[in-house]
């Protein structure tokens, strides 16, 4: 077995769309980033790569490359899964947490779980996505941005 941990953060900017977990969420702001800035998928992708000691998101999909500008983060997640499978591992389960004051994530959690499960080629019951606030503390609490954390367990094929 292999365990990976991922963390990501993006600041808010005006405009949209806001994409979290592969799901477009109605909100007056989006997240700033070179790609679509999907903070949740970035954390999961980093966890996936880290579990196999393959480096991180920036190593494989650098924000200095125009190839990845505005790219859908689902593509990055699927590419990372391919790398992990080539190393002989399968996803056992994912547990992730989104930290934000607004917008509310609860109405979108099950759709996020299904998107992630589809991209990782697992069942939805192998994907946990939770959301919490930071009780008004820090950059999330000040509504400056969103962070996400993820752990992933891989098993040898």
């Amino acid at each position: 077995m292999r365990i990976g941990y991922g963390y990501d953060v993006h600041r808010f900017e005006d405009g949209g769309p806001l994409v979290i977990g592969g799901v477009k969420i109605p909100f007056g702001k989006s997240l700033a980033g070179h790609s679509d800035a999907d903070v949740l998928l970035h954390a999961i992708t980093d966890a996936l790569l880290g579990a196999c000691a393959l480096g991180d998101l920036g190593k494989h999909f650098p924000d200095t490359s125009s190839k990845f500008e505005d790219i859908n983060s689902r593509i990055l997640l699927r590419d990372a899964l391919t790398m992990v499978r080539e190393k002989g591992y399968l996803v056992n389960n994912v547990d992730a947490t989104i930290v934000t004051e607004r917008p509310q994530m609860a109405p979108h959690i099950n759709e996020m779980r299904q998107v992630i499960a589809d991209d990782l080629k697992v069942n939805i019951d192998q994907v946990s996505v939770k959301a919490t606030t930071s009780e008004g503390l820090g950059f999330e609490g000040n509504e400056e941005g969103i962070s996400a954390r993820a752990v992933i367990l891989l098993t040898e094929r």
Side-chain angles (χ1 to χ4, degrees), residues 9 99-101 133-147:
V9 60
V99 183
T100 186
E101 299 295 318
T133 70
S134 63
E135 299 293 329
L137 300 174
F139 70 90
E140 300 105 332
N142 290 327
E143 298 185 22
E144 296 172 36
I146 296 177
S147 68

XYZ file of all heavy atoms in Angstrom, residues 9 99-101 133-147:
136
model
N -4.157 25.592 -2.546
C -4.853 26.821 -2.184
C -4.880 27.726 -3.408
O -3.928 27.738 -4.198
C -4.159 27.517 -0.989
C -2.728 27.879 -1.304
C -4.923 28.745 -0.550
N -11.883 23.770 2.467
C -12.015 24.765 3.528
C -12.401 26.100 2.903
O -11.621 26.689 2.145
C -10.716 24.915 4.339
C -10.922 25.904 5.488
C -10.234 23.571 4.869
N -13.632 26.558 3.213
C -14.128 27.827 2.692
C -15.303 28.303 3.536
O -16.037 27.491 4.091
C -14.559 27.690 1.210
O -14.915 28.973 0.699
C -15.709 26.739 1.035
N -15.439 29.603 3.633
C -16.606 30.172 4.312
C -17.808 30.192 3.363
O -18.915 29.882 3.758
C -16.312 31.598 4.792
C -15.182 31.718 5.786
C -15.463 31.048 7.116
O -16.585 31.166 7.628
O -14.539 30.400 7.643
N -15.587 25.174 7.405
C -15.158 26.570 7.421
C -13.914 26.659 8.290
O -13.518 25.689 8.938
C -16.241 27.494 8.000
O -16.359 27.226 9.402
C -17.577 27.293 7.309
N -13.317 27.839 8.333
C -12.195 28.051 9.250
C -12.622 28.978 10.382
O -11.788 29.643 10.990
C -10.976 28.595 8.500
O -11.279 29.851 7.946
N -13.941 29.017 10.620
C -14.505 29.801 11.721
C -14.080 31.268 11.666
O -13.810 31.899 12.675
C -14.113 29.189 13.073
C -14.612 27.776 13.284
C -16.131 27.695 13.393
O -16.759 28.650 13.868
O -16.690 26.658 12.989
N -13.971 31.800 10.433
C -13.635 33.208 10.263
C -12.153 33.533 10.417
O -11.776 34.697 10.385
N -11.318 32.508 10.558
C -9.881 32.732 10.753
C -9.109 32.537 9.454
O -9.500 31.731 8.600
C -9.343 31.762 11.806
C -9.979 31.871 13.194
C -9.475 30.757 14.093
C -9.686 33.229 13.805
N -8.000 33.226 9.307
C -7.104 33.035 8.178
C -7.679 33.512 6.861
O -8.724 34.159 6.803
N -6.973 33.193 5.760
C -7.397 33.673 4.447
C -8.727 33.072 4.024
O -9.523 33.740 3.367
C -6.312 33.429 3.389
C -6.107 31.989 3.039
C -6.830 31.407 2.014
C -5.188 31.223 3.733
C -6.641 30.076 1.687
C -4.994 29.888 3.420
C -5.729 29.316 2.398
N -8.989 31.809 4.413
C -10.297 31.226 4.086
C -11.393 31.965 4.855
O -12.426 32.299 4.295
C -10.367 29.736 4.435
C -9.362 28.860 3.738
C -8.231 28.440 4.657
O -7.918 29.186 5.611
O -7.657 27.377 4.421
N -11.146 32.206 6.120
C -12.113 32.899 6.965
C -12.384 34.318 6.527
O -13.494 34.832 6.689
N -11.369 34.962 5.959
C -11.516 36.321 5.438
C -12.068 36.325 4.011
O -12.122 37.374 3.375
C -10.170 37.052 5.462
C -9.725 37.361 6.867
O -10.544 37.612 7.751
N -8.429 37.335 7.095
N -12.423 35.150 3.534
C -12.985 34.956 2.188
C -12.064 35.488 1.098
O -12.494 36.054 0.098
C -14.387 35.557 2.101
C -15.346 34.880 3.058
C -16.786 35.344 2.927
O -17.170 35.865 1.868
O -17.531 35.162 3.911
N -10.770 35.230 1.290
C -9.771 35.607 0.285
C -9.503 34.460 -0.680
O -8.950 34.665 -1.761
C -8.471 36.005 0.970
C -8.593 37.245 1.838
C -7.343 37.498 2.658
O -6.229 37.230 2.152
O -7.466 37.957 3.808
N -9.843 33.220 -0.285
C -9.587 32.062 -1.128
C -10.102 30.793 -0.497
O -10.783 30.814 0.531
N -9.773 29.686 -1.138
C -10.207 28.354 -0.715
C -8.984 27.454 -0.666
O -8.096 27.542 -1.517
C -11.237 27.767 -1.709
C -12.507 28.617 -1.731
C -11.580 26.317 -1.354
C -13.551 28.144 -2.742
N -8.950 26.562 0.310
C -7.903 25.539 0.350
C -8.564 24.164 0.360
O -9.757 24.031 0.656
C -7.001 25.709 1.576
O -7.704 25.419 2.761
